[in-house]
Amino acid sequence: MSLTPVRSIEDLRKIKEETYTGIKLRLKDSAVEREIAKYHILVCTGTGCASSKSKLIHQKLEDEIRKRKLEDKVKVIKTGCFGFCKLGPIIVIHPDRTFYTKVELEDVDEILDQHIENGQIVEKLLYKSVKTGELQKTIDEIDFFNHQMRIALRNCGVINPEDIREYIALDGYMALADILTKKIPAQEIIEEIKQSGLRGRGGAGFPTGLKWEYTASYEGDEKFVLCNADEGDPGAFMDRSILEGDPHSILEAMIIAGYCIGAKQGYVYIRAEYPIAVERLEIAIDQARRIGLLGSNILGSSFDFDLDIRIGAGAFVCGEETALIQSVMGFRGEPRPRPPYPAEVGLWEKPTLNNNVETYANIPVILRKGARWFAGIGTKDSKGTKVFALAGQIKNTGLIEVPMGTTVRTIIYDIGGGISNDKNVKAVQCGGPSGGCLPAEMLDKEIDFKSLTDIGLIMGSGGMIVMDETDCMVDIARFYLEFAQDESCGKCVPCSIGTKRLLEILEKISSGQGEMEDLERLENLCYEIKDSSLCGLGQTAPNPVLSTLKFFRDEYIAHIKDKYCPAGVCNGLLKVVISDDKCIACGICARICPVNAITGEHKKPPFRIHQDVCIKCGACIARCPVNAIYKH
């Protein structure tokens, strides 16, 4: 790709004007002109769709267009995540805004034959509403998108993340250029961020402007800017999708941060499990350097700033900022006591600013549109929007961005389309392993920092897992605690040993060996771990246990007193039985039982399962031809 060096804001504006003409065909609110191509075919090449061969679909589209000599009529663009991950691979065709789902390689010819050459929509690839069953032709008709407000995700699914010019076309790097050209004082920029009300999106929700101000206030011959892209919560992929779909927004924000605190070097710390995000970051950094937006004398100013990537090995604890800093420096990722905070003593004992990906993604748009605009979105204590990874027992899973203060009910039913198989919602796990479970009776609770904290939960980084009546809340608490215990770095006893003791009590209860006294032991131990652990991992690890004890105590009591799992999940409290009425005595179950727990005579029903031998593996349930075997 040929890139013209940018030495001034005028050079940047020239690139913007030249490139905007080529991309405005895909912008919803712009007048449609077809000077460049009649159709733009946007193919999602984020991780979700790439795992379903979207890259091969992109390549086949390009090959077929060349064969058919349609280059003047059609342009194929790779994009980041559209968010509707359940339906991938996804293709959106502009200017029609036609939204095609679950596209396969063999569909490419039909899309070109029918849609591109004859103007006819391929109906079999359209999204079918989970509410009405109607086919919805355009992205604008789909409820999943209509209740969202995309700020951090504004460019994902719109631009080619591997082309810096497309980011510039949508005002990219303009906030930076304005700052450097007008020589706006750092404190004035920090004040704008403070006035916006932006709070950290990594979990703790600390005011971003204050963090920048603190770091800027400390003296140092050298300072650093860090981006935490070590996203380790089960089911969370917010930061990954932003980096895959809009990496330059993070680069621009980090450069601005460097200007504000007086740093010349930044690092993006990202886990190795995100190869597409790493690749696109590398491309973005290389292009920014080639164009002159990273390095020395940026935009003809005297300001120097550069960025590098550091790859993490996937340790969950490295999401904690002091452990992350240790890892960036090449040491074992272990947290240290605070204070001093990284703003004073961070990388190589120098003042260091650390924010996560989503936090940075908001910075350029805040500085372009103003603090008042951003502060007008959300609630009194929580401004702007929040990105959530919506998963679990829900019809529409994927990545969403909604204004702070949106209710859980709106997210589940208006965006998520309701519960799978039309079951009843039981709980919503907010914040991943560090969060807690919100019960169904609180579905009208607004999602923001304060409302969740008031009931003992936290927002965390933004994982949101929906559960129905088939989920056991004791087992859910056990699962998240098992994860936290496994990811503990082992440095402090309250976390490494305390979570192990918690897990043992939960396993005891779920196996039917629990006592009522265990509930008091659980609560006391939870608070001791929270109060004495060194870092955020241990301090928040008990949250799933405490929230389920608070809102679903009856399930714990059922496990202990009645030796019964209401959801039918905990194997230790279940029996595998054969229905006398349904059994046909075929003998399949006996033949495949790994411990010979099933006996009977061929063609003489029923067969019997010896409970003292059965290990409840479920192999017989899966193989029974008449569904005569079940857990009870």
Side-chain angles (χ1 to χ4, degrees), residues 60-61 64 68 93 100 103-125:
K60 185 173 180 180
L61 277 166
E64 284 298 317
R68 299 172 186 230
I93 300 182
Y100 287 144
V103 180
E104 298 182 5
L105 270 173
E106 50 266 33
D107 296 322
V108 168
D109 288 327
E110 190 171 359
I111 290 171
L112 294 177
D113 290 339
Q114 194 166 316
H115 193 133
I116 302 302
E117 301 207 67
N118 291 298
Q120 300 294 319
I121 288 176
V122 183
E123 290 194 354
K124 72 175 186 179
L125 299 177

Side-chain angles (χ1 to χ4, degrees), residues 409-423:
R409 188 180 301 277
T410 296
I411 292 173
I412 291 177
Y413 290 99
D414 294 337
I415 298 175
I419 307 303
S420 300
N421 300 316
D422 295 319
K423 293 182 182 292

Side-chain angles (χ1 to χ4, degrees), residues 16 145 148 175 183 187 221 238 249 283 341 347 385 394 440 451 460 471 484 487 494:
K16 174 185 173 180
F145 296 105
Q148 295 190 46
K183 299 181 179 179
Q187 186 55 43
D221 57 338
M238 299 76 63
S249 65
I283 292 170
Y341 291 92
L347 275 173
T385 58
I394 193 145
S451 65
D471 290 298
E487 292 291 340

Side-chain angles (χ1 to χ4, degrees), residues 38-309:
K38 185 176 181 181
Y39 290 106
H40 281 192
I41 303 178
L42 274 61
V43 182
C44 175
T45 53
T47 295
C49 288
S51 67
S52 301
K53 302 182 180 179
S54 68
K55 290 187 177 181
L56 295 178
I57 291 169
H58 176 271
Q59 187 60 54
K60 185 173 180 180
L61 277 166
E62 289 195 324
D63 292 343
E64 284 298 317
I65 286 168
R66 279 193 296 270
K67 287 179 185 177
R68 299 172 186 230
K69 302 189 186 308
L70 294 172
E71 295 97 324
D72 293 335
K73 185 178 182 180
V74 187
K75 184 178 181 181
V76 184
I77 302 102
K78 62 173 67 174
T79 71
C81 181
F82 288 97
F84 218 160
C85 306
K86 183 177 182 178
L87 301 177
I90 289 172
I91 285 178
V92 178
I93 300 182
H94 293 280
D96 317 39
R97 299 179 67 79
T98 305
F99 192 83
Y100 287 144
T101 66
K102 298 182 179 180
V103 180
E104 298 182 5
L105 270 173
E106 50 266 33
D107 296 322
V108 168
D109 288 327
E110 190 171 359
I111 290 171
L112 294 177
D113 290 339
Q114 194 166 316
H115 193 133
I116 302 302
E117 301 207 67
N118 291 298
Q120 300 294 319
I121 288 176
V122 183
E123 290 194 354
K124 72 175 186 179
L125 299 177
L126 293 176
Y127 170 69
K128 181 183 288 188
S129 171
V130 294
K131 291 184 177 180
T132 66
E134 296 177 356
L135 295 177
Q136 297 181 321
K137 297 178 182 179
T138 71
I139 192 171
D140 306 310
E141 298 174 40
I142 300 173
D143 286 336
F144 180 82
F145 296 105
N146 285 338
H147 294 274
Q148 295 190 46
M149 183 178 186
R150 293 163 76 90
I151 297 177
L153 299 175
R154 61 193 177 276
N155 291 330
C156 295
V158 177
I159 65 172
N160 178 354
E162 297 180 10
D163 188 344
I164 189 172
R165 297 168 301 184
E166 293 203 359
Y167 177 70
I168 292 172
L170 296 183
D171 291 325
Y173 291 106
M174 284 298 173
L176 172 66
D178 196 50
I179 289 168
L180 296 182
T181 301
K182 296 179 181 178
K183 299 181 179 179
I184 300 174
Q187 186 55 43
E188 189 175 322
I189 302 162
I190 292 173
E191 192 61 34
E192 188 77 5
I193 296 169
K194 287 169 63 179
Q195 292 299 317
S196 74
L198 176 65
R199 295 171 63 174
R201 300 302 198 244
F206 190 82
T208 304
L210 279 179
K211 182 181 277 193
W212 287 33
E213 188 172 62
Y214 292 156
T215 314
S217 68
Y218 288 107
E219 297 293 331
D221 57 338
E222 195 174 15
K223 295 184 178 183
F224 298 98
V225 176
L226 273 178
C227 175
N228 180 357
D230 189 64
E231 187 174 48
D233 289 8
F237 52 100
M238 299 76 63
D239 292 349
R240 184 195 74 199
S241 295
I242 293 172
L243 289 171
E244 290 177 353
D246 193 18
H248 286 283
S249 65
I250 309 307
L251 269 57
E252 182 179 9
M254 292 182 71
I255 299 167
I256 292 170
Y259 175 88
C260 289
I261 71 165
K264 294 186 177 181
Q265 178 64 48
Y267 296 96
V268 180
Y269 184 83
I270 183 169
R271 53 182 43 223
E273 294 96 328
Y274 285 0
I276 296 176
V278 171
E279 179 186 6
R280 290 190 172 158
L281 264 175
E282 289 172 340
I283 292 170
I285 290 171
D286 175 65
Q287 290 180 351
R289 283 181 183 146
R290 285 163 55 196
I291 209 169
L293 292 169
L294 276 177
S296 302
N297 197 32
I298 297 173
L299 287 171
S301 70
S302 58
F303 177 59
D304 305 336
F305 189 83
D306 208 350
L307 275 171
D308 286 302
I309 299 172

Side-chain angles (χ1 to χ4, degrees), residues 520-534:
E520 185 178 353
R521 294 189 189 103
L522 275 177
E523 285 184 305
N524 290 339
L525 188 52
C526 280
Y527 287 116
E528 288 173 4
I529 293 169
K530 285 176 72 70
D531 292 341
S532 55
S533 290
L534 177 61

